[in-house]
Amino acid sequence: VKWIRKHFDLFLRTFKDENNVHVYENRIHEMCLANKQSLEVTFNHLSQKFPTIAIWLAEEPTLILPILDTVAFDLVQEVYAEYYKIHSRIFIRVRDLPVEDQLRDLR
């Protein structure tokens, strides 16, 4: 669990797209400006940086998602200290989850 928390936090803080843009820093900012509580994570981004977490997420979402939710909430609290007054939780929503055959290719 510690390893997942540490690396997902690192992913959210540092992932950059091909244009050198901090994708999740921007998504967190947009989510908070809109007073939302769902943070969308693109599966392919996660699998590029941390394929182990991506595989675990695909195979055991009920175990992994609550850990990722907590990491996201903690990060939001760091940036927006009062956000807990708006939402007590942040939910990770996974976009573009591949079909099972593609998951086998990741392994």
Side-chain angles (χ1 to χ4, degrees):
V1 173
K2 275 186 178 180
W3 187 90
I4 295 170
R5 288 180 58 92
K6 175 183 172 187
H7 287 87
F8 188 64
D9 181 79
L10 183 65
F11 168 76
L12 290 177
R13 290 174 188 272
T14 63
F15 185 84
K16 293 181 183 179
D17 66 10
E18 61 279 352
N19 299 319
N20 211 31
V21 172
H22 282 274
V23 174
Y24 296 99
E25 193 174 281
N26 289 342
R27 287 187 187 176
I28 287 170
H29 182 66
E30 289 167 9
M31 176 193 74
C32 292
L33 284 177
N35 289 335
K36 294 186 175 181
Q37 72 179 132
S38 293
L39 177 63
E40 196 173 80
V41 171
T42 305
F43 185 83
N44 193 39
H45 293 170
L46 188 58
S47 67
Q48 284 173 30
K49 294 294 179 185
F50 296 106
T52 304
I53 297 175
I55 290 168
W56 290 342
L57 175 61
E59 291 185 355
E60 295 291 343
T62 55
L63 295 175
I64 302 301
L65 278 171
I67 299 168
L68 305 187
D69 293 347
T70 301
V71 171
F73 182 77
D74 291 347
L75 185 54
V76 166
Q77 286 301 114
E78 225 177 87
V79 180
Y80 298 95
E82 303 285 312
Y83 205 71
Y84 72 93
K85 293 178 181 177
I86 298 168
H87 293 293
S88 61
R89 293 183 66 192
I90 299 297
F91 298 99
I92 295 296
R93 301 286 177 237
V94 181
R95 180 169 93 187
D96 301 330
L97 193 66
V99 294
E100 194 172 320
D101 290 340
Q102 291 172 321
L103 282 177
R104 286 194 198 105
D105 293 340
L106 279 176
R107 292 186 198 142

